[in-house]
Amino acid sequence: MARSVAALTGFPLLMPNRRIFPDGEQYLRIEGDVNGQDVAVFQSLAFQPDPLLIEYSLIVDALKGGGVRSVVGVIPYLAYARQDQVFRPNEPLSARLIPRLIESVGTDRVITVDMHLHRFKEPGEVFRMPAQNLTAMPLLARHYREHGRASAVIVVGPDSESEQWVRVVARELGAPCVVLEKERFGDREVKIRGELPLKGRTALVVDDIVSTGKTMIEVITRLKSEGAQRVDALVSHALLVEGAKKKMKDAGLNELIYSDTIPGGDAQVSVAPLLAKSLKNL
Ligand code: R5P
């Protein structure tokens, strides 16, 4: 991602040298003169958020030690945002703790994409520093339209928090939308309720994250049983763990379109131009 954004903006690219000490600790060094510079640190927090947060902290500390003027953390997928409430006594409020950690290591500002905002409504409720939350939804919707799948579509959200993304996609496609209700019974069990007027239509499910795919599978099964002719899905962050892609296909999903905020996938849509524009504006 850093490479793509550097190419789009013309900003120079530095890669840290890294290695792991025999005891598992990380060593890194930034090669190059950063004194007085404004630096954007691109950091994934997908799949292994804990060592990646330490890596990010070491990078920012090294940069600050090297005399940079400011650090923008570019974190396309902000992990831990779903634990946004103390659901049971003695749990952490991870959705606020992680932003505070990112801040405490010396970050001056953050740019992220489709942050999981549910009980917190604005990034400013968890970040004290300036934080920009970009959205990949218009890009995903445009890709869907440009590939000719957008006729007789109804846009479907699995749960109340998905409404913010559903509305953007529905507006972009000029399509009607419906938002369902989700009840979660554990990390891998969900139930979906709601009215679905979709006989003979294409249902386009929109969500911020697909992880185990259980939410999607519940929705797809429901949409198929209500007579949807075709079911496609748009998501920003495709974590796709535990064979989720195949399981969703087996449940009847025709096409999954997602962005490249999670490294390593076959994303059809890149958020690099969004991030490049935002950095240029800064
Ligand atoms: C949570 O509310 C999110 O918006 C997603 O619906 C959820 O994280 C998807 O997770 P999974 O794919 O494991 O059901």
Side-chain angles (χ1 to χ4, degrees):
M1 184 68 80
R3 235 178 258 291
S4 306
V5 171
L8 287 168
T9 53
F11 294 153
L13 175 70
L14 289 181
M15 297 297 284
N17 275 338
R18 290 173 301 172
R19 66 188 160 84
I20 305 291
F21 286 112
D23 60 2
E25 292 178 1
Q26 305 183 46
Y27 168 85
L28 66 83
R29 177 164 191 270
I30 313 291
E31 304 288 344
D33 183 12
V34 291
N35 191 25
Q37 302 291 315
D38 298 307
V39 182
V41 179
F42 283 70
Q43 183 67 49
S44 167
L45 294 184
F47 305 120
Q48 292 197 304
D50 306 351
L52 292 171
L53 273 166
I54 297 294
E55 180 184 67
Y56 175 79
S57 309
L58 295 172
I59 293 172
V60 177
D61 195 64
L63 289 168
K64 288 273 161 145
V68 299
R69 190 168 73 165
S70 69
V71 171
V72 184
V74 182
I75 303 176
Y77 170 63
L78 187 69
Y80 280 109
R82 285 172 288 178
Q83 177 79 24
D84 59 357
Q85 183 173 317
V86 175
F87 296 96
R88 301 174 62 211
N90 306 337
E91 286 178 350
L93 187 51
S94 317
R96 194 170 60 200
L97 172 69
I98 301 305
R100 297 280 155 95
L101 284 178
I102 291 169
E103 213 164 64
S104 71
V105 299
T107 313
D108 297 294
R109 157 188 295 274
V110 155
I111 299 175
T112 188
V113 179
D114 290 322
M115 179 177 169
H116 183 80
L117 291 171
H118 178 195
R119 290 170 188 91
F120 292 115
K121 304 291 176 213
E122 299 290 334
E125 291 178 55
V126 292
F127 285 105
R128 284 169 296 203
M129 63 188 162
Q132 198 179 1
N133 182 32
L134 305 173
T135 179
M137 291 298 169
L139 293 177
L140 291 164
R142 254 169 258 156
H143 176 94
Y144 190 70
R145 194 182 49 226
E146 281 159 15
H147 288 75
R149 317 245 201 286
S151 63
V153 162
I154 179 160
V155 183
V156 180
D159 47 28
S160 59
E161 67 264 32
S162 67
E163 186 169 348
Q164 56 194 298
W165 305 295
V166 164
R167 292 212 175 280
V168 174
V169 172
R171 198 181 321 124
E172 190 69 39
L173 298 179
C177 62
V178 58
V179 175
L180 306 172
E181 282 169 47
K182 175 167 83 178
E183 205 179 338
R184 192 171 266 290
F185 298 96
D187 297 347
R188 294 175 177 77
E189 290 312 318
V190 295
K191 276 268 163 292
I192 303 286
R193 293 179 235 286
E195 293 293 310
L196 290 162
L198 41 73
K199 275 234 161 354
R201 281 177 173 263
T202 292
L204 176 63
V205 189
V206 172
D207 209 353
D208 58 337
I209 303 170
V210 58
S211 178
T212 64
K214 280 289 157 72
T215 301
M216 280 290 175
I217 290 166
E218 273 291 317
V219 179
I220 296 160
T221 310
R222 190 62 211 291
L223 296 171
K224 286 279 178 187
S225 72
E226 299 281 339
Q229 209 164 55
R230 179 184 168 99
V231 181
D232 296 323
L234 296 188
V235 297
S236 296
H237 311 297
L239 290 163
L240 297 171
V241 300
E242 301 177 354
K245 207 169 185 177
K246 180 170 184 319
K247 289 179 194 163
M248 289 189 294
K249 204 165 191 296
D250 292 346
L253 183 67
N254 293 90
E255 194 176 8
L256 175 67
I257 293 158
Y258 52 96
S259 86
D260 58 355
T261 58
I262 307 296
D266 289 327
Q268 301 91 331
V269 172
S270 179
V271 297
L274 274 185
L275 299 174
K277 188 168 172 215
S278 166
L279 284 174
K280 277 266 189 193
N281 287 343
L282 279 179

